[in-house]
Amino acid sequence: MRSPDELDSVQWDALDHAYGSAEDVPELIRALYGDDEEAASEAVHELFGSIHHQGTVYEASGPAVPFLAHAVRHAPSHRTDLLMLLAVMADHDPSAAGSPPRLGADVAAVCTELCRVLPDLLPCLGDAEPSVRRAALRVVGAVADLLPAGSAAPTLVEGLYAADPVPAVRADAATVLALLGRETGALDHPLREVRLAVAVLEAERSGPPYRAELVAVVAADGAEPDPREDDLPWADGTVRGDRLAALLVRDADAALAVAARWIAAGDLGSCGSWLARDVAEAWRDREPEVVDLLIAALPHQPDPQTRSARLHVLADWIRHLPEPGAELRDTLHRYAAADDPSAEAALLALVHARDPRALDLLLDEASDRAPDHGPDRATDPAPGHPGSTLLSAAARSFPDAADRLVPAIRRALAAGADGNAAIALVGALERFGPAARQARPELTDCLRTGRAAIVAARLLGLLGERTEEITGLLQEAALSTDSALSGAAVAAHHRLTGEAGPALRTFERLLSGGGQTSWYLAHLQSLGAAAAPLLPVVERLLDGGDWTRLAAAEAHHRITGSPDRAVPVLAGLVGPSPVGLAALRALAAIGRAPEELRPALRGLAFSPLRLLSDSGLSATGHPDEELRALARTLLAAGFATEPAVTR
């Protein structure tokens, strides 16, 4: 250890941390010893953000270790925090360790210094405060693979495991003993916390599928979070609950069995319902079981906010059920019809369940609340209009209900919806095809006022209704300094008038100016063969970044009518990523794929695991579902015989 008197012997200004020069480190460490508790707390916070920042250590981190160790022993008001700082700074992959020189230089320096001062920190394992003992165990665990022979740490940890009065400390000691290569107790240990810790260790060692005995222990002992102890993270930032959930999700059958047991026990801390959700996010085709569990968890959620969160999760997964059952829909209807803050989330779930009663709740009650200003109430503001999320979902679930939904969407737009809400509402209108022409006044107003102007311009072009007002607004929007709006407007203007000249001039300018090239190419596609004069520009962009290549390939196919150049480019982008999904979508629209893509398509089509996560931004459902469906479509459509050579 090194005392604050030695701080000036280190040339801190020659070392760096997350924010540049480490010249402020001495001042922060000295603040730990002062009488100003607020300054000391702030110093701890600053050290967590500078010499250790989001999992990264720096040149100044290793030299700071002996000073932090001294502060743990001699400035004890922040012992737990400082021990945790030492532990997380030393986090490393033991398989890359062997000896510190095999680690990254900065991590190696931290580990070397921590091993050197560890004997001075071992008394913390006997501290009167349980949180200090637990933090000290994490320090030992962080360098367990690097400790020299003869270290006193293993013996002290064994003593905690055998006799500490706090179950959580004994459970932590079991984990550290495993890191030290020592055997711990069996799954029949008398303490629940220890049994659970041992179960986690055995699961980590064995991997899935987990033994029935192990799953039974987790199901019985993991349902109740320990209310007496705040869980401390380990050196890698994980806490017990996160580690356990991550392990369980690797075995879907085990996870669902455990989630069912936890939910039946009251779903304390929502552990069971969150575990069920995690299974649905990780595995394909488990939605029916997950939905059943989430429904079963609802009565255990008396708090409306928590219940609303569960209902939102239900809404996400119900739309993947081929035919939601009557009992499920009746349950959702009861929640949606209740006078309760969670009713809106329940209504969203009912909409996704495609239950016709959802339309009655969504629209009739809103109409009852809306003031009547005359015979044509559709264009009048209505403070009770449904939200954009509900209306967008209803447009997906009830595409044949244009007669009821289009007027509701018009009211919402007329009432002043803007931003993402207006974008969602215009997108919902597009689902109704020609019936959306009823909303021409609202769409032109969006274009005029700049609310969702890009999507409004596009939809006006798709609807094909040419008026002087619309073409004039599109011409005006084409001159906008917003390049995305300009491109959307000229493309829509071309759709309505057939005049290619203005569009060609605008796109030539946009494509030569950089910026959001993929956006401009996406709008250019609607010109089809009329964009042939821009083909040389499009061909150059086939060598751009991923999204640019994608859009250029699609545009090339639309302009030429030939897939020869587009298919190889698109095939090279296919994979479990957003751009890979878009490439699959484009190949499916063309209707062909190169033969060498077959193995990749089979992997995308038949993986039991989800390969794409849900960003929450998709308007069509979970992106992994679309990924699988498109891959299967292409497998069924046939393959090109020519090899795909990406240019």
Side-chain angles (χ1 to χ4, degrees):
M1 294 190 302
R2 303 186 69 178
S3 73
D5 295 338
E6 300 176 78
L7 280 165
D8 293 337
S9 65
V10 178
Q11 193 174 351
W12 296 101
D13 59 358
L15 304 174
D16 70 358
H17 58 38
Y19 300 106
S21 170
E23 59 187 357
D24 60 338
V25 169
E27 179 183 355
L28 294 173
I29 291 176
R30 289 190 178 100
L32 301 174
Y33 294 84
D35 296 329
D36 188 338
E37 175 59 27
E38 184 176 347
S41 297
E42 181 63 25
V44 171
H45 176 77
E46 292 292 329
L47 289 165
F48 263 102
S50 58
I51 60 174
H52 175 267
H53 183 77
Q54 296 182 353
T56 302
V57 292
Y58 304 86
E59 286 180 327
S61 305
V65 167
F67 294 101
L68 295 173
H70 187 278
V72 168
R73 295 298 307 280
H74 299 284
S77 62
H78 291 277
R79 287 170 299 176
T80 299
D81 291 334
L82 294 175
L83 285 166
M84 289 302 304
L85 176 57
L86 289 168
V88 297
M89 285 201 303
D91 179 43
H92 64 276
D93 180 1
S95 66
S99 59
R102 292 182 60 192
L103 302 172
D106 296 330
V107 178
V110 169
C111 291
T112 298
E113 290 294 336
L114 188 53
C115 287
R116 185 176 294 132
V117 302
L118 190 63
D120 297 310
L121 295 173
L122 291 180
C124 294
L125 292 172
D127 196 275
E129 289 293 328
S131 64
V132 174
R133 300 199 297 278
R134 299 185 74 194
L137 282 166
R138 282 150 176 75
V139 172
V140 175
V143 290
D145 58 311
L146 303 173
L147 293 182
S151 170
T155 300
L156 293 171
V157 174
E158 285 179 338
L160 291 178
Y161 174 69
D164 196 279
V166 177
V169 176
R170 296 177 74 174
D172 290 347
T175 300
V176 175
L177 285 175
L179 295 172
L180 290 164
R182 306 289 182 96
E183 287 298 322
T184 57
L187 292 172
D188 59 355
H189 194 281
L191 290 176
R192 177 183 69 84
E193 294 83 355
V194 175
R195 290 195 300 270
L196 195 58
V198 172
V200 169
L201 294 169
E202 288 204 15
E204 289 174 336
R205 281 197 295 261
S206 70
Y210 304 125
R211 292 188 295 117
E213 180 187 10
L214 186 154
V215 175
V217 168
V218 172
D221 296 329
E224 182 180 355
D226 190 342
R228 299 166 297 174
E229 296 287 348
D230 291 328
D231 208 3
L232 293 176
W234 290 86
D236 61 2
T238 62
V239 295
R240 185 206 68 188
D242 292 341
R243 291 174 64 200
L244 180 57
L247 284 167
L248 285 170
V249 169
R250 294 175 61 194
D251 183 340
D253 291 331
L256 291 173
V258 169
R261 177 72 176 270
W262 290 356
I263 289 171
D267 201 23
L268 297 175
S270 300
C271 294
S273 48
W274 286 136
L275 179 58
R277 177 209 61 181
D278 291 347
V279 171
E281 290 181 348
W283 294 87
R284 292 171 170 173
D285 302 323
R286 306 310 292 250
E287 296 91 351
E289 298 153 281
V290 168
V291 167
D292 286 345
L293 289 174
L294 293 173
I295 284 288
L298 287 177
H300 300 301
Q301 310 295 342
D303 174 60
Q305 185 174 359
T306 305
R307 187 165 60 253
S308 180
R310 296 306 162 277
L311 285 162
H312 274 292
V313 175
L314 265 168
D316 287 339
W317 296 112
I318 282 173
R319 56 180 163 174
H320 301 302
L321 300 183
E323 194 66 44
E327 184 177 353
L328 167 63
R329 291 185 284 109
D330 287 345
T331 299
L332 292 174
H333 183 263
R334 285 196 299 273
Y335 281 102
D339 184 13
D340 184 271
S342 65
E344 184 173 333
L347 179 54
L348 179 62
L350 192 65
V351 167
H352 284 171
R354 303 177 293 282
D355 189 302
R357 291 173 293 181
L359 284 177
D360 297 332
L361 290 172
L362 176 66
L363 300 175
D364 293 350
E365 292 184 10
S367 297
D368 290 342
R369 294 194 301 268
D372 188 354
H373 294 290
D376 185 13
R377 197 172 55 184
T379 57
D380 291 329
H385 68 77
S388 60
T389 299
L390 282 167
L391 287 170
S392 298
R396 289 194 299 270
S397 294
F398 305 103
D400 297 329
D403 58 328
R404 300 185 66 185
L405 287 170
V406 169
I409 294 171
R410 293 183 64 191
R411 285 195 294 271
L413 287 170
D418 59 8
N420 289 334
I423 293 171
L425 291 167
V426 174
L429 283 171
E430 187 175 337
R431 295 179 176 276
F432 297 117
R437 289 174 180 166
Q438 302 170 46
R440 180 176 60 80
E442 289 74 30
L443 292 172
T444 54
D445 187 65
C446 283
L447 188 56
R448 183 183 297 106
T449 60
R451 296 180 296 130
I454 296 172
V455 289
R458 179 178 179 276
L459 182 52
L460 285 167
L462 289 172
L463 292 176
E465 190 177 17
R466 178 178 176 177
T467 68
E468 288 187 11
E469 179 189 28
I470 292 174
T471 55
L473 285 170
L474 290 173
Q475 287 176 321
E476 183 179 341
L479 303 176
S480 171
T481 56
D482 182 340
S483 298
L485 174 57
S486 177
V490 293
H493 187 271
H494 172 263
R495 278 183 179 276
L496 296 178
T497 66
E499 298 174 12
L504 291 174
R505 289 191 294 272
T506 297
F507 281 115
E508 184 176 24
R509 171 177 58 82
L510 293 175
L511 293 174
S512 63
Q516 296 175 308
T517 306
S518 60
W519 276 51
Y520 313 146
L521 287 166
H523 292 306
L524 173 66
Q525 293 174 34
S526 68
L527 272 68
L534 297 179
L535 197 56
V537 177
V538 173
E539 289 182 333
R540 288 198 299 271
L541 293 172
L542 289 170
D543 295 322
D546 285 356
W547 285 104
T548 297
R549 280 191 291 143
L550 169 78
E554 291 184 278
H556 193 282
H557 176 248
R558 293 288 295 275
I559 293 169
T560 65
S562 169
D564 293 345
R565 292 292 304 277
V567 167
V569 174
L570 295 170
L573 294 170
V574 167
S577 66
V579 71
L581 173 60
L584 267 180
R585 197 180 293 127
L587 285 171
I590 293 172
R592 61 184 287 194
E595 175 62 35
E596 59 266 34
L597 197 58
R598 187 190 296 270
L601 290 175
R602 289 189 63 82
L604 299 176
F606 301 112
S607 168
L609 288 166
R610 292 199 184 279
L611 303 177
L612 266 181
S613 59
D614 187 3
S615 65
L617 302 177
S618 173
T620 57
H622 200 293
D624 185 74
E625 296 290 337
E626 186 182 6
L627 183 79
R628 174 168 59 173
L630 289 170
R632 290 181 174 179
T633 296
L634 282 168
L635 285 168
F639 294 83
T641 57
E642 295 297 323
V645 179
T646 303
R647 296 183 57 177

